[in-house]
Amino acid sequence: MSVLNKKSVEDMEVSGKRVLVRCDFNVKIDGGVITSDKRIVASLPTVQYLINKGAKVILFSHLGRPKDGFDPEFTMAPVAARLSELLGKEVLMAKDVVGESARSLAASLKDGDVLLLENVRFEKGETKNDPELSKKFASLAELYVNDAFGSAHRAHSSTTGVADYLPSAAGYLIKKEIEFMGGALENPKRPLIAILGGAKVSDKIGVIENLIDKCDTLIIGGGMAYTFFAAKGYGWGNSLCETDRIEDAKAMMEKAQAMGVKFLIPVDTKLGKEYAPDTETKIVDADSIPDGWMGLDIGPKTQELFKDAVKGAGTIIWNGPMGVSEWDNFAAGTIAVATAVAESGAVSIVGGGDSAAAIKKLGFEKKMSHISTGGGASLEFLEGKELPGIAAINDK
Ligand code: AMP
């Protein structure tokens, strides 16, 4: 079943209805102060749409990992306060999740009012996807909207179970994730080029396996490239190499060749003597890494190779840095790829914290078609797995 066929909030009659919206308000809070309100800001299109339509809006989310029931360290109260500032209207705050306070406040809402429930993880049943809790959530409202993409890979009561008891739809954040990532996987504008980087092959193996059948070109950079060097019979010095994955790497390159998929790995690499930001560096060809050195970025010939490969792309999926991009000495490869993707004119979909950070640093955010908001969820999506939080949403 195609994810492109899921109902969105715009497909529901929401006016005058109680709408329960699962948001991702999992923000970092330090001493009661929210250190980044990015996720709260990201929820605004869906919340504001529902307010404008005269729905009675009931928001709920998890925040951190509280262990055992109510814990003031993990209260949603600071989120309610910030959301209220952003919306320029009162946000009611329940004292509990599905208890007396939540029920009476939900029942008293007028059209356009907004209520935030307490942290769903104060309820033990949440992470167990307990049907009793799901029913209690459902009893607060008439409709359910899921807008928490970052939690969509978890089958919890608030992300999945509740949809068994209410008509459901995707909010704008999930809608956009589905449109771009689902579109790229199911019906991409070709050629489709995937650029994968980051530390480990083992983290991305599922993604490579899923994309190899779909891509025209697959590009590998970052720490995971050195396992492919080993598969080619090159030395890797002290670079990251997962020796138990060398056979997998070989198999993937052979599969790509058999299928006529272009599979590019670095042809040169920038080495460091130590794993440190200001270590001694040198650039060598991929088959010439000397003992005692480690590959920490792609080299300049590889930058050109990857830039050329990206030219003329219809769709680009990029996940993971080309090197240790946190350190200026080893950021050039990631910057080159970010620039090439930004200038490609392709539908560009970026996932992973480090790639997104590079794009932000360069001011390229507006040049990307879509920057995915979910780390684990976006990787599972690219692996072709069914995300329970999306599967639970009704089809159109
Ligand atoms: P991931 O979370 O898998 O996307 O990996 C991101 C991490 O990979 C970043 O912290 C980078 O520093 C690290 N990384 C990228 N390239 C290398 C490399 N060549 N050697 C060691 N670490 C790397």
Side-chain angles (χ1 to χ4, degrees):
M1 184 50 85
S2 167
V3 292
L4 299 174
N5 201 35
K6 292 291 172 186
K7 248 189 191 160
S8 92
V9 65
E10 292 176 1
D11 301 317
M12 275 178 159
E13 276 304 325
V14 297
S15 301
K17 300 268 173 60
R18 281 187 179 71
V19 185
L20 182 64
V21 188
R22 177 56 159 95
C23 297
D24 177 6
F25 289 149
N26 185 26
V27 293
K28 288 214 168 63
I29 296 187
D30 194 1
V33 178
I34 296 171
T35 51
S36 164
D37 65 358
K38 211 173 81 185
R39 289 181 169 164
I40 306 176
V41 171
S43 76
L44 292 176
T46 300
V47 176
Q48 193 65 62
Y49 173 84
L50 290 167
I51 295 170
N52 294 349
K53 288 275 172 187
K56 301 173 174 85
V57 188
I58 306 168
L59 309 174
F60 67 150
S61 171
H62 81 280
L63 173 62
R65 292 174 180 228
K67 290 258 150 31
D68 192 20
F70 181 85
D71 178 343
E73 194 189 334
F74 297 103
T75 174
M76 302 298 294
V79 175
R82 183 71 191 118
L83 183 62
S84 169
E85 283 168 15
L86 290 166
L87 290 170
K89 68 178 280 149
E90 186 184 15
V91 172
L92 300 164
M93 179 69 218
K95 290 197 180 66
D96 49 33
V97 189
V98 283
E100 176 50 33
S101 168
R103 283 199 304 272
S104 62
L105 283 170
S108 71
L109 292 178
K110 293 196 247 344
D111 293 356
D113 281 354
V114 181
L115 165 67
L116 177 60
L117 307 181
E118 256 305 356
N119 188 342
V120 293
R121 291 209 183 153
F122 290 166
E123 288 290 329
K124 274 218 161 56
E126 161 65 5
T127 53
K128 298 189 183 102
N129 197 12
D130 174 8
E132 289 312 311
L133 179 61
S134 303
K135 278 185 214 165
K136 284 184 188 165
F137 282 139
S139 71
L140 298 173
E142 293 144 281
L143 300 169
Y144 169 70
V145 169
N146 189 358
D147 211 18
F149 182 72
S151 302
H153 57 319
R154 313 234 183 263
H156 293 172
S157 267
S158 67
T159 60
T160 307
V162 60
D164 287 342
Y165 306 101
L166 288 178
S168 57
Y172 284 111
L173 283 177
I174 288 200
K175 182 175 187 280
K176 186 164 182 256
E177 298 279 359
I178 289 176
E179 273 168 13
F180 279 97
M181 293 220 284
L185 297 182
E186 289 184 26
N187 186 23
K189 187 164 174 235
R190 292 198 177 268
L192 170 62
I193 299 183
I195 309 170
L196 300 175
K200 288 178 163 180
V201 180
S202 47
D203 287 347
K204 304 268 161 78
I205 215 154
V207 178
I208 301 175
E209 273 171 356
N210 186 41
L211 292 182
I212 219 166
D213 287 343
K214 300 182 169 71
C215 280
D216 300 289
T217 303
L218 221 150
I219 297 176
I220 303 282
M224 62 195 248
Y226 304 95
T227 304
F228 290 88
F229 283 21
K232 283 219 159 207
Y234 307 159
W236 59 89
N238 291 340
S239 315
L240 274 184
C241 178
E242 290 170 90
T243 47
D244 57 338
R245 295 293 186 178
I246 296 173
E247 285 309 311
D248 289 330
K250 238 185 232 170
M252 282 184 258
M253 289 192 287
E254 282 164 9
K255 186 170 178 192
Q257 196 174 17
M259 296 181 64
V261 172
K262 220 179 188 182
F263 197 99
L264 300 178
I265 65 170
V267 291
D268 62 349
T269 180
K270 185 169 185 184
L271 306 172
K273 195 86 185 84
E274 316 278 340
Y275 184 75
D278 48 7
T279 185
E280 189 187 339
T281 66
K282 66 174 170 183
I283 290 162
V284 298
D285 284 342
D287 59 0
S288 309
I289 299 180
D291 287 345
W293 290 76
M294 62 181 78
L296 296 174
D297 195 8
I298 58 174
K301 287 187 217 164
T302 308
Q303 290 177 24
E304 290 310 310
L305 176 74
F306 289 1
K307 276 198 236 168
D308 273 351
V310 161
K311 273 186 201 138
T315 308
I316 301 170
I317 297 173
W318 176 28
N319 192 305
M322 295 294 101
V324 185
S325 56
E326 305 94 309
W327 297 339
D328 288 347
N329 256 341
F330 303 103
T334 303
I335 291 172
V337 164
T339 309
V341 175
E343 289 171 354
S344 66
V347 176
S348 49
I349 300 158
V350 182
D354 295 284
S355 333
I359 280 167
K360 194 168 173 199
K361 205 165 158 188
L362 294 164
F364 289 160
E365 281 160 306
K366 293 234 155 60
K367 295 191 170 177
M368 302 294 153
S369 314
H370 180 61
I371 300 177
S372 180
T373 51
S378 65
L379 273 186
E380 288 195 21
F381 202 116
L382 294 178
E383 283 172 11
K385 287 191 185 150
E386 184 181 83
L387 307 191
I390 291 180
I393 295 168
N394 292 149
D395 288 322
K396 274 185 193 158

